[in-house]
Structures are given as C-alpha cells and as structure tokens.
Amino acid sequence: MKIRILAVGQKMPSWVEQGVNEYLRRLPADFKVQFEECALGQRRGQHSGAKAKEQEGQTLLAKIHPKERVIALDVQGKAWSSETLAEQATDWRMDGRDVVLLIGGPDGLADACLQRAEQRWSLSALTLPHPLVRVVLAEQLYRAWSLISGHPYHR
C-alpha cells in the first residue's frame, strides 16, 4: 500500500521537512508514505478565498487516480484515536487500493474534494497551522504503523 498526501501549499519551513522526513524514513517499504505539494490558488479581491479554494480543489482532484481511496482532512470530519487510525490503515491495506490524504489550503478543501472523499478525518478540533499538520500527520502514520506491527514506539 502506498499513501500519498496531497497538500496545498509550498515552500514549507525547514523544520517541517525535517520533522516529516524523520518519521517517513522510519517507515518500511510496504507502508510507503509520500507528500506531494500543490500550489496555492490566487487570492485577490473580494471573493478571493472561494475562488482560490476552487482552484486548489481542481489541482488536487487532477492528481487523484480513479481507483485511489481518498481521505479528506477536514475539521468537520470524524476524530480518530491513534488506535482507530491503525485500524483504518489495516482496512486500507486489506482493501488493496492506494490511499490519498488531502490537506486543503487556508480556506479548507473545495466541496468537490469533500464529495470525492470516502472518509473525512479531523486531526483536531483545534485550528492547526498547515506546516504543523504535515508533521503531526507523518508522526501519526508512523505511530499507526508501529501499532500494526507491534513496534514499541506506541507506549
């Protein structure tokens, strides 16, 4: 199984890349996670946020393969514990399809992305900055793998 994380936003601070890479390098080849960045939509004028969100949505949707399982990170999604994420990841592996996790831009995910998603997952009820979301997500995926494989990381 391959997990792709499509994230709106580019040019993250170096600490984000370091944090993400720390967890991704620990994962085995059969639980591959990769990040792909997408450009922010243009934000100008009175209705810039809505138009930018739609642009970002189109960019994200264009990168999704038809057979991939799509999970939207959405504040209105369901909150999962680390154990629940491990169960979800086990189900994803059994399903046989690759997984795509979507991280929206400053205005969230476009409606079309939310409609394409099979699941909506909320990392937190808190508003988290996008750079931090990437590190938290990488760590939680590593933690899920450690639970699945019986690794002592999750104690």
Side-chain angles (χ1 to χ4, degrees):
M1 172 184 67
K2 179 172 71 173
I3 298 173
R4 287 191 312 137
I5 300 166
L6 300 181
V8 174
Q10 299 169 310
K11 299 179 184 174
M12 292 291 115
S14 62
W15 64 266
V16 174
E17 190 172 324
Q18 291 170 347
V20 166
N21 288 338
E22 175 62 28
Y23 293 107
L24 297 188
R25 74 172 178 78
R26 297 178 186 187
L27 290 168
D30 69 338
F31 199 96
K32 183 178 177 164
V33 176
Q34 68 183 57
F35 277 78
E36 294 179 30
E37 295 181 332
C38 300
L40 285 168
Q42 295 293 325
R43 285 172 167 74
R44 293 186 204 137
Q46 186 178 15
H47 301 289
S48 61
K51 287 185 180 183
K53 185 164 74 168
E54 291 307 314
Q55 287 176 343
E56 294 160 1
Q58 291 172 4
T59 301
L60 290 170
L61 291 171
K63 293 180 173 273
I64 298 171
H65 307 285
K67 293 184 179 180
E68 287 178 313
R69 175 188 288 255
V70 178
I71 314 298
L73 273 70
D74 180 35
V75 71
Q76 295 180 347
K78 187 172 182 179
W80 295 342
S81 66
S82 297
E83 292 82 4
T84 301
L85 176 57
E87 292 169 9
Q88 291 291 328
T90 299
D91 291 346
W92 299 341
R93 286 175 122 174
M94 298 300 289
D95 181 53
R97 294 181 288 165
D98 289 335
V99 175
V100 175
L101 300 170
L102 302 179
I103 302 173
D107 299 296
L109 287 166
D111 289 340
C113 291
L114 295 173
Q115 290 172 3
R116 173 64 175 84
E118 294 179 34
Q119 294 173 286
R120 293 183 191 187
W121 174 24
S122 175
L123 285 181
S124 172
L126 299 170
T127 300
L128 299 174
H130 288 263
L132 187 57
V133 166
R134 294 178 189 207
V135 177
V136 169
L137 184 56
E139 190 279 336
Q140 284 299 300
L141 289 169
Y142 175 70
R143 184 175 298 275
W145 170 81
S146 74
L147 281 162
I148 292 166
S149 63
H151 189 278
Y153 178 79
H154 180 76
R155 294 189 231 176

